[in-house]
Amino acid sequence: MIKSYEEFSVLGLPIHVATNYPGYLLERLQQRIGTHVVTLNAEMTMQAERNETLATIIKAADLVIPDGAGIVLYLRLLLKQDVRRIPGIELAEAVLREIGQNSPDSTVFFYGGKPGTAAAAAQFWQAQIPNLNIVGTHSGYHSPEEEQQLHSTLAKMQPQVIYVGLGVPRQEFWIKQNRHLCPQATWVGVGGSFDIWSGTKTRAPAWLGDNNLEWLYRLYQEPWRWRRMLALPEFAFKALIYGIKTKGA
């Protein structure tokens, strides 16, 4: 298999730049090569600076895409790369469409969100792509006993694409702990995508995303996130310092 991306470093974490992420993932899926996809943004980068376990997981991931505007600006301004932002939800959607068109026999599983959210998200996609083979869903709220049953279900069903919507970093930890259950699967942490697909929440208007302000809309919807948003200026400051040091070296 041809490695179809370039790898760069963002404050010590890998970022993989490609022109066709869905095609690359479909190729790995069809060859039954297990894959962990991380959608990296500034907030996650700052979390990884303080959490060595998360940093290790990101560094070991098979594909790390530039999800956040901060990551893209870092690559453009400091590394002089012509890179465009790939929101994780859009990658997840593109992969489902790619599967529906070119690999309809591939099986998909949704895990995460409040009770009923993943199931509603699955119904949405089943209506969009009738031949999409979503074989199961499971809420992210459950007892330890129910989680053990989920493990058994995944081990038995062996879904080939597993979307995990538990939020960062919980979804990354969960994937790391449970990849052995379905070693040939493509695992993707999709954050709050199930909320969007189920209609529970809405995405920011396109003009906000185009101007790197989608984070502001998320803050409007979830004011409790303001402390987490402090990671954005922290990331910008550290990127600036890194750039000054690099130029002076």
Side-chain angles (χ1 to χ4, degrees):
M1 178 190 222
I2 298 175
K3 181 177 172 181
S4 55
Y5 61 75
E6 289 187 83
E7 181 171 331
F8 300 94
S9 177
V10 176
L11 296 182
L13 298 177
I15 195 77
H16 302 136
V17 176
T19 56
N20 185 5
Y21 292 105
Y24 173 69
L25 290 174
L26 183 65
E27 183 181 354
R28 289 178 68 93
L29 174 66
Q30 292 175 334
Q31 295 186 22
R32 299 190 177 277
I33 301 173
T35 306
H36 178 199
V37 181
V38 168
T39 59
L40 189 67
N41 58 23
E43 183 182 335
M44 185 189 291
T45 303
M46 291 299 94
Q47 288 187 40
E49 281 217 336
R50 293 181 281 270
N51 190 315
E52 186 176 344
T53 301
L54 177 59
T56 300
I57 291 172
I58 296 171
K59 291 174 183 178
D62 303 288
L63 186 66
V64 184
I65 71 166
D67 172 276
I71 300 295
V72 170
L73 290 174
Y74 183 103
L75 291 168
R76 287 178 180 173
L77 300 179
L78 295 181
L79 302 185
K80 308 301 181 184
Q81 298 299 314
D82 184 16
V83 177
R84 69 183 184 90
R85 177 176 172 243
I86 309 295
I89 187 171
E90 293 182 10
L91 174 68
E93 293 172 351
V95 168
L96 293 179
R97 294 191 181 97
E98 190 82 20
I99 290 171
Q101 182 175 351
N102 298 308
S103 187
D105 292 333
S106 296
T107 53
V108 180
F109 194 98
F110 287 176
Y111 167 56
K114 294 180 180 179
T117 300
Q123 290 176 355
F124 167 80
W125 278 108
Q126 210 68 77
Q128 298 292 314
I129 310 173
N131 66 338
L132 189 63
N133 193 7
I134 302 178
V135 294
T137 67
H138 200 288
S139 162
Y141 292 73
H142 46 67
S143 67
E145 293 76 17
E146 290 170 329
E147 175 146 5
Q148 287 303 312
Q149 182 57 51
L150 170 61
H151 293 173
S152 298
T153 298
L154 290 174
K156 181 178 180 180
M157 295 178 68
Q158 291 297 306
Q160 293 160 283
V161 176
I162 303 171
Y163 283 176
V164 182
L166 299 177
V168 177
R170 187 181 164 207
Q171 63 194 20
E172 282 68 37
F173 294 156
W174 196 88
I175 291 172
K176 172 65 176 177
Q177 293 166 357
N178 295 288
R179 274 189 74 181
H180 68 279
L181 297 171
C182 306
Q184 297 179 334
T186 296
W187 301 72
V188 187
V190 296
S193 297
F194 297 153
D195 289 329
I196 304 298
W197 297 336
S198 66
T200 305
K201 295 179 182 177
T202 57
R203 281 194 72 187
W207 68 270
L208 281 175
D210 293 342
N211 288 281
N212 300 322
L213 293 173
E214 195 166 8
W215 61 271
L216 190 60
Y217 188 79
R218 292 187 66 188
L219 184 60
Y220 163 74
Q221 286 191 315
E222 302 171 328
W224 56 267
R225 296 179 62 93
W226 72 270
R227 289 185 184 275
R228 295 174 62 177
M229 292 298 179
L230 294 177
L232 303 180
E234 181 185 7
F235 175 86
F237 176 75
K238 291 194 173 185
L240 178 62
I241 296 299
Y242 177 85
I244 293 173
K245 288 182 177 179
T246 301
K247 289 181 179 179

PDB file of all heavy atoms in Angstrom, residues 22-42:
ATOM      1  N   PRO A  22     -10.715  10.191   2.539  1.00  0.00           N
ATOM      2  CA  PRO A  22     -11.688   9.097   2.453  1.00  0.00           C
ATOM      3  C   PRO A  22     -11.195   7.945   1.579  1.00  0.00           C
ATOM      4  O   PRO A  22     -11.378   6.773   1.912  1.00  0.00           O
ATOM      5  CB  PRO A  22     -12.931   9.756   1.853  1.00  0.00           C
ATOM      6  CG  PRO A  22     -12.792  11.200   2.220  1.00  0.00           C
ATOM      7  CD  PRO A  22     -11.325  11.479   2.154  1.00  0.00           C
ATOM      8  N   GLY A  23     -10.560   8.280   0.449  1.00  0.00           N
ATOM      9  CA  GLY A  23     -10.046   7.238  -0.432  1.00  0.00           C
ATOM     10  C   GLY A  23      -8.954   6.422   0.234  1.00  0.00           C
ATOM     11  O   GLY A  23      -8.893   5.197   0.085  1.00  0.00           O
ATOM     12  N   TYR A  24      -8.090   7.104   0.959  1.00  0.00           N
ATOM     13  CA  TYR A  24      -7.013   6.427   1.685  1.00  0.00           C
ATOM     14  C   TYR A  24      -7.582   5.484   2.741  1.00  0.00           C
ATOM     15  O   TYR A  24      -7.145   4.332   2.871  1.00  0.00           O
ATOM     16  CB  TYR A  24      -6.114   7.476   2.334  1.00  0.00           C
ATOM     17  CG  TYR A  24      -5.059   6.917   3.262  1.00  0.00           C
ATOM     18  CD1 TYR A  24      -3.989   6.182   2.771  1.00  0.00           C
ATOM     19  CD2 TYR A  24      -5.125   7.142   4.634  1.00  0.00           C
ATOM     20  CE1 TYR A  24      -3.014   5.672   3.617  1.00  0.00           C
ATOM     21  CE2 TYR A  24      -4.153   6.639   5.493  1.00  0.00           C
ATOM     22  CZ  TYR A  24      -3.101   5.909   4.980  1.00  0.00           C
ATOM     23  OH  TYR A  24      -2.146   5.410   5.828  1.00  0.00           O
ATOM     24  N   LEU A  25      -8.585   5.949   3.475  1.00  0.00           N
ATOM     25  CA  LEU A  25      -9.189   5.109   4.521  1.00  0.00           C
ATOM     26  C   LEU A  25      -9.952   3.940   3.916  1.00  0.00           C
ATOM     27  O   LEU A  25      -9.942   2.831   4.470  1.00  0.00           O
ATOM     28  CB  LEU A  25     -10.106   5.958   5.399  1.00  0.00           C
ATOM     29  CG  LEU A  25      -9.379   6.961   6.295  1.00  0.00           C
ATOM     30  CD1 LEU A  25     -10.390   7.859   7.018  1.00  0.00           C
ATOM     31  CD2 LEU A  25      -8.504   6.241   7.311  1.00  0.00           C
ATOM     32  N   LEU A  26     -10.613   4.168   2.777  1.00  0.00           N
ATOM     33  CA  LEU A  26     -11.329   3.072   2.128  1.00  0.00           C
ATOM     34  C   LEU A  26     -10.350   1.997   1.663  1.00  0.00           C
ATOM     35  O   LEU A  26     -10.632   0.790   1.781  1.00  0.00           O
ATOM     36  CB  LEU A  26     -12.140   3.593   0.942  1.00  0.00           C
ATOM     37  CG  LEU A  26     -12.994   2.532   0.231  1.00  0.00           C
ATOM     38  CD1 LEU A  26     -14.082   2.021   1.161  1.00  0.00           C
ATOM     39  CD2 LEU A  26     -13.608   3.101  -1.042  1.00  0.00           C
ATOM     40  N   GLU A  27      -9.211   2.420   1.160  1.00  0.00           N
ATOM     41  CA  GLU A  27      -8.201   1.456   0.719  1.00  0.00           C
ATOM     42  C   GLU A  27      -7.733   0.598   1.901  1.00  0.00           C
ATOM     43  O   GLU A  27      -7.625  -0.627   1.788  1.00  0.00           O
ATOM     44  CB  GLU A  27      -7.015   2.184   0.092  1.00  0.00           C
ATOM     45  CG  GLU A  27      -5.944   1.248  -0.463  1.00  0.00           C
ATOM     46  CD  GLU A  27      -4.765   1.993  -1.048  1.00  0.00           C
ATOM     47  OE1 GLU A  27      -4.811   3.234  -1.128  1.00  0.00           O
ATOM     48  OE2 GLU A  27      -3.774   1.321  -1.420  1.00  0.00           O
ATOM     49  N   ARG A  28      -7.468   1.247   3.026  1.00  0.00           N
ATOM     50  CA  ARG A  28      -7.053   0.496   4.216  1.00  0.00           C
ATOM     51  C   ARG A  28      -8.173  -0.428   4.695  1.00  0.00           C
ATOM     52  O   ARG A  28      -7.938  -1.568   5.108  1.00  0.00           O
ATOM     53  CB  ARG A  28      -6.642   1.451   5.332  1.00  0.00           C
ATOM     54  CG  ARG A  28      -5.333   2.176   5.067  1.00  0.00           C
ATOM     55  CD  ARG A  28      -5.002   3.157   6.181  1.00  0.00           C
ATOM     56  NE  ARG A  28      -4.690   2.493   7.439  1.00  0.00           N
ATOM     57  CZ  ARG A  28      -3.466   2.153   7.835  1.00  0.00           C
ATOM     58  NH1 ARG A  28      -2.424   2.409   7.048  1.00  0.00           N
ATOM     59  NH2 ARG A  28      -3.267   1.588   9.009  1.00  0.00           N
ATOM     60  N   LEU A  29      -9.396   0.066   4.625  1.00  0.00           N
ATOM     61  CA  LEU A  29     -10.554  -0.728   5.037  1.00  0.00           C
ATOM     62  C   LEU A  29     -10.685  -1.977   4.179  1.00  0.00           C
ATOM     63  O   LEU A  29     -10.876  -3.089   4.708  1.00  0.00           O
ATOM     64  CB  LEU A  29     -11.822   0.128   4.930  1.00  0.00           C
ATOM     65  CG  LEU A  29     -13.162  -0.564   5.181  1.00  0.00           C
ATOM     66  CD1 LEU A  29     -13.259  -1.024   6.625  1.00  0.00           C
ATOM     67  CD2 LEU A  29     -14.313   0.395   4.853  1.00  0.00           C
ATOM     68  N   GLN A  30     -10.569  -1.822   2.879  1.00  0.00           N
ATOM     69  CA  GLN A  30     -10.722  -2.955   1.975  1.00  0.00           C
ATOM     70  C   GLN A  30      -9.589  -3.956   2.112  1.00  0.00           C
ATOM     71  O   GLN A  30      -9.761  -5.145   1.844  1.00  0.00           O
ATOM     72  CB  GLN A  30     -10.839  -2.447   0.537  1.00  0.00           C
ATOM     73  CG  GLN A  30     -12.139  -1.689   0.283  1.00  0.00           C
ATOM     74  CD  GLN A  30     -12.217  -1.086  -1.096  1.00  0.00           C
ATOM     75  OE1 GLN A  30     -11.188  -0.791  -1.726  1.00  0.00           O
ATOM     76  NE2 GLN A  30     -13.426  -0.876  -1.593  1.00  0.00           N
ATOM     77  N   GLN A  31      -8.421  -3.473   2.545  1.00  0.00           N
ATOM     78  CA  GLN A  31      -7.285  -4.368   2.777  1.00  0.00           C
ATOM     79  C   GLN A  31      -7.256  -4.894   4.214  1.00  0.00           C
ATOM     80  O   GLN A  31      -6.324  -5.584   4.592  1.00  0.00           O
ATOM     81  CB  GLN A  31      -5.977  -3.642   2.444  1.00  0.00           C
ATOM     82  CG  GLN A  31      -5.843  -3.285   0.975  1.00  0.00           C
ATOM     83  CD  GLN A  31      -4.483  -2.690   0.645  1.00  0.00           C
ATOM     84  OE1 GLN A  31      -3.506  -2.878   1.355  1.00  0.00           O
ATOM     85  NE2 GLN A  31      -4.405  -1.968  -0.457  1.00  0.00           N
ATOM     86  N   ARG A  32      -8.282  -4.524   4.973  1.00  0.00           N
ATOM     87  CA  ARG A  32      -8.423  -4.981   6.363  1.00  0.00           C
ATOM     88  C   ARG A  32      -7.211  -4.606   7.218  1.00  0.00           C
ATOM     89  O   ARG A  32      -6.698  -5.411   8.001  1.00  0.00           O
ATOM     90  CB  ARG A  32      -8.697  -6.494   6.415  1.00  0.00           C
ATOM     91  CG  ARG A  32      -9.990  -6.890   5.703  1.00  0.00           C
ATOM     92  CD  ARG A  32     -10.374  -8.328   5.964  1.00  0.00           C
ATOM     93  NE  ARG A  32     -11.649  -8.655   5.341  1.00  0.00           N
ATOM     94  CZ  ARG A  32     -12.846  -8.402   5.846  1.00  0.00           C
ATOM     95  NH1 ARG A  32     -12.935  -7.782   7.001  1.00  0.00           N
ATOM     96  NH2 ARG A  32     -13.944  -8.753   5.214  1.00  0.00           N
ATOM     97  N   ILE A  33      -6.775  -3.374   7.039  1.00  0.00           N
ATOM     98  CA  ILE A  33      -5.689  -2.837   7.843  1.00  0.00           C
ATOM     99  C   ILE A  33      -6.298  -1.960   8.934  1.00  0.00           C
ATOM    100  O   ILE A  33      -6.934  -0.941   8.647  1.00  0.00           O
ATOM    101  CB  ILE A  33      -4.715  -1.998   6.988  1.00  0.00           C
ATOM    102  CG1 ILE A  33      -4.118  -2.849   5.870  1.00  0.00           C
ATOM    103  CG2 ILE A  33      -3.600  -1.418   7.859  1.00  0.00           C
ATOM    104  CD1 ILE A  33      -3.288  -2.057   4.889  1.00  0.00           C
ATOM    105  N   GLY A  34      -6.154  -2.369  10.172  1.00  0.00           N
ATOM    106  CA  GLY A  34      -6.716  -1.612  11.283  1.00  0.00           C
ATOM    107  C   GLY A  34      -6.183  -0.189  11.313  1.00  0.00           C
ATOM    108  O   GLY A  34      -4.996   0.046  11.091  1.00  0.00           O
ATOM    109  N   THR A  35      -7.079   0.771  11.597  1.00  0.00           N
ATOM    110  CA  THR A  35      -6.714   2.184  11.523  1.00  0.00           C
ATOM    111  C   THR A  35      -7.364   2.961  12.658  1.00  0.00           C
ATOM    112  O   THR A  35      -8.560   2.814  12.908  1.00  0.00           O
ATOM    113  CB  THR A  35      -7.174   2.800  10.184  1.00  0.00           C
ATOM    114  OG1 THR A  35      -6.656   2.028   9.098  1.00  0.00           O
ATOM    115  CG2 THR A  35      -6.703   4.235  10.047  1.00  0.00           C
ATOM    116  N   HIS A  36      -6.570   3.788  13.320  1.00  0.00           N
ATOM    117  CA  HIS A  36      -7.111   4.726  14.303  1.00  0.00           C
ATOM    118  C   HIS A  36      -6.939   6.133  13.757  1.00  0.00           C
ATOM    119  O   HIS A  36      -5.822   6.559  13.477  1.00  0.00           O
ATOM    120  CB  HIS A  36      -6.381   4.589  15.647  1.00  0.00           C
ATOM    121  CG  HIS A  36      -6.861   5.563  16.691  1.00  0.00           C
ATOM    122  ND1 HIS A  36      -6.128   5.883  17.807  1.00  0.00           N
ATOM    123  CD2 HIS A  36      -8.011   6.293  16.780  1.00  0.00           C
ATOM    124  CE1 HIS A  36      -6.802   6.760  18.544  1.00  0.00           C
ATOM    125  NE2 HIS A  36      -7.938   7.027  17.929  1.00  0.00           N
ATOM    126  N   VAL A  37      -8.054   6.839  13.616  1.00  0.00           N
ATOM    127  CA  VAL A  37      -8.044   8.202  13.080  1.00  0.00           C
ATOM    128  C   VAL A  37      -8.267   9.195  14.216  1.00  0.00           C
ATOM    129  O   VAL A  37      -9.218   9.065  14.985  1.00  0.00           O
ATOM    130  CB  VAL A  37      -9.145   8.393  12.014  1.00  0.00           C
ATOM    131  CG1 VAL A  37      -9.105   9.807  11.454  1.00  0.00           C
ATOM    132  CG2 VAL A  37      -8.998   7.358  10.902  1.00  0.00           C
ATOM    133  N   VAL A  38      -7.375  10.187  14.302  1.00  0.00           N
ATOM    134  CA  VAL A  38      -7.506  11.271  15.281  1.00  0.00           C
ATOM    135  C   VAL A  38      -7.742  12.572  14.531  1.00  0.00           C
ATOM    136  O   VAL A  38      -7.069  12.855  13.533  1.00  0.00           O
ATOM    137  CB  VAL A  38      -6.239  11.391  16.152  1.00  0.00           C
ATOM    138  CG1 VAL A  38      -6.253  12.687  16.968  1.00  0.00           C
ATOM    139  CG2 VAL A  38      -6.116  10.193  17.087  1.00  0.00           C
ATOM    140  N   THR A  39      -8.706  13.363  14.986  1.00  0.00           N
ATOM    141  CA  THR A  39      -8.986  14.669  14.378  1.00  0.00           C
ATOM    142  C   THR A  39      -8.417  15.727  15.318  1.00  0.00           C
ATOM    143  O   THR A  39      -9.010  16.065  16.329  1.00  0.00           O
ATOM    144  CB  THR A  39     -10.494  14.858  14.164  1.00  0.00           C
ATOM    145  OG1 THR A  39     -11.175  14.759  15.421  1.00  0.00           O
ATOM    146  CG2 THR A  39     -11.039  13.777  13.235  1.00  0.00           C
ATOM    147  N   LEU A  40      -7.252  16.266  14.956  1.00  0.00           N
ATOM    148  CA  LEU A  40      -6.494  17.127  15.860  1.00  0.00           C
ATOM    149  C   LEU A  40      -6.868  18.597  15.722  1.00  0.00           C
ATOM    150  O   LEU A  40      -6.932  19.135  14.627  1.00  0.00           O
ATOM    151  CB  LEU A  40      -4.992  16.955  15.579  1.00  0.00           C
ATOM    152  CG  LEU A  40      -4.038  17.620  16.574  1.00  0.00           C
ATOM    153  CD1 LEU A  40      -4.115  16.957  17.940  1.00  0.00           C
ATOM    154  CD2 LEU A  40      -2.602  17.572  16.036  1.00  0.00           C
ATOM    155  N   ASN A  41      -7.112  19.229  16.877  1.00  0.00           N
ATOM    156  CA  ASN A  41      -7.307  20.674  16.901  1.00  0.00           C
ATOM    157  C   ASN A  41      -6.458  21.280  18.014  1.00  0.00           C
ATOM    158  O   ASN A  41      -5.739  20.562  18.720  1.00  0.00           O
ATOM    159  CB  ASN A  41      -8.794  21.031  17.064  1.00  0.00           C
ATOM    160  CG  ASN A  41      -9.395  20.447  18.336  1.00  0.00           C
ATOM    161  OD1 ASN A  41      -8.684  20.154  19.307  1.00  0.00           O
ATOM    162  ND2 ASN A  41     -10.706  20.281  18.352  1.00  0.00           N
ATOM    163  N   ALA A  42      -6.530  22.593  18.169  1.00  0.00           N
ATOM    164  CA  ALA A  42      -5.688  23.271  19.152  1.00  0.00           C
ATOM    165  C   ALA A  42      -6.000  22.817  20.571  1.00  0.00           C
ATOM    166  O   ALA A  42      -5.092  22.623  21.388  1.00  0.00           O
ATOM    167  CB  ALA A  42      -5.871  24.787  19.022  1.00  0.00           C
TER     168      ALA A  42
END
